[in-house]
Amino acid sequence: MPERILIAEDDPRQAEIVRRYLQAAGWDPVVVGDGRAAIAAIRQRVPDLLVLDVLMPEIDGRDVCRVLRVDHDLPILMLTARSSADDRVLGLEIGADDYLTKPYDPRELVARVRSLLRRAAARPPVETGLTVGGIVVDPAGHTVRLDGTEIPCTRGEFAVLAVLAAEPGRVFSRRQLVERISGQDRNATDRGIDMHVVNLRRKLERDPRRPEHLLTVHGVGYKLIGGAGG
């Protein structure tokens, strides 16, 4: 069965060129036209690889990459008209596996896709759990454990916790959390984030009024740490 490749590109002409070349190479390409549609398509069925344009409506490619990296390890090839080293470095740091600058030769794109698929096939199994102190978040199994005991969480609570657990100690603003979980919680709001945090503290903290793990950084946002003092 041919590998399924999702193409997220808002330029219909460019998307069709990429689709034809990937199809001619023997793969099964599918096209979406914006970032929100890309996230929705992957939630429904995870492809073998994502070709992701950076500048797209709804949600841009960088934010799509950040959202997907919370619970997906699929290869991502980013496409951009920006050629600076800083742009390339940023794309790779947020989770892209490769970076191709426009204009590009479609044959080079095909070669890079082939290389990424080869690397993904040879990749050894990895631990899927995100561990912060006694909290273990498993994106693949959609479970949360505290000191070995499974803790039931709603979809929104899990999405917030997974974002925080992926980067322990980093402070996320409410707006950043809303953007990160928008693919899983379409009704996410700043107030909704606050409620998810309150509920998570009830489930994870010994004393929710004096949290040791899920902390508020006043005037900034929230962060997750392993225990008191970080």
Side-chain angles (χ1 to χ4, degrees):
M1 189 172 181
E3 287 96 338
R4 184 181 181 87
I5 299 176
L6 183 66
I7 304 161
E9 166 65 74
D10 66 321
D11 181 336
R13 181 175 175 276
Q14 190 69 29
E16 179 60 15
I17 291 171
V18 173
R19 188 195 68 78
R20 288 181 180 179
Y21 269 83
L22 294 180
Q23 187 173 56
W27 297 307
D28 177 21
V30 177
V31 175
V32 295
D34 63 67
R36 192 176 299 278
I39 292 171
I42 291 170
R43 299 293 184 208
Q44 185 173 16
R45 178 181 173 184
V46 180
D48 294 288
L49 183 142
L50 171 62
V51 176
L52 178 62
D53 186 28
V54 170
L55 299 177
M56 289 190 298
E58 297 289 338
I59 303 175
D60 75 14
R62 291 192 182 91
D63 285 335
V64 170
C65 191
R66 291 188 182 102
V67 169
L68 294 178
R69 282 301 181 236
V70 173
D71 53 8
H72 292 291
D73 196 32
L74 76 160
I76 297 176
L77 172 59
M78 294 190 82
L79 308 177
T80 181
R82 297 172 176 172
S83 58
S84 75
D86 287 345
D87 285 313
R88 292 195 298 273
V89 169
L90 177 60
L92 295 171
E93 285 183 343
I94 62 176
D97 296 278
D98 201 357
Y99 208 91
L100 193 56
T101 303
K102 299 178 179 179
Y104 54 81
D105 186 329
R107 295 171 298 177
E108 181 181 0
L109 183 143
V110 168
R112 294 199 183 205
V113 166
R114 184 172 287 113
S115 175
L116 288 174
L117 289 172
R118 223 174 15 240
R119 280 160 48 188
R123 186 182 300 163
V126 296
E127 292 284 335
T128 57
L130 304 169
T131 302
V132 184
I135 302 168
V136 179
V137 182
D138 181 3
H142 210 274
T143 59
V144 176
R145 293 185 178 275
L146 176 63
D147 298 328
T149 300
E150 186 166 342
I151 306 297
C153 291
T154 66
R155 185 180 182 88
E157 291 165 6
F158 182 88
V160 169
L161 189 60
V163 171
L164 296 172
E167 298 185 64
R170 174 180 170 180
V171 181
F172 287 86
S173 69
R174 292 175 179 84
R175 180 51 44 194
Q176 287 173 320
L177 289 169
V178 168
E179 291 172 354
R180 292 287 190 98
I181 74 170
S182 60
Q184 301 177 63
D185 185 354
R186 290 176 179 269
N187 299 315
T189 62
D190 288 10
R191 179 59 180 157
I193 295 297
D194 290 340
M195 291 307 301
H196 289 326
V197 168
V198 168
N199 292 331
L200 286 167
R201 283 174 173 161
R202 288 174 182 158
K203 296 175 181 182
L204 299 174
E205 302 286 0
R206 288 182 294 182
D207 183 352
R209 294 171 299 178
R210 297 180 178 84
E212 300 175 6
H213 303 289
L214 185 43
L215 306 183
T216 299
V217 179
H218 293 289
V220 185
Y222 299 108
K223 67 178 179 178
L224 186 68
I225 64 172

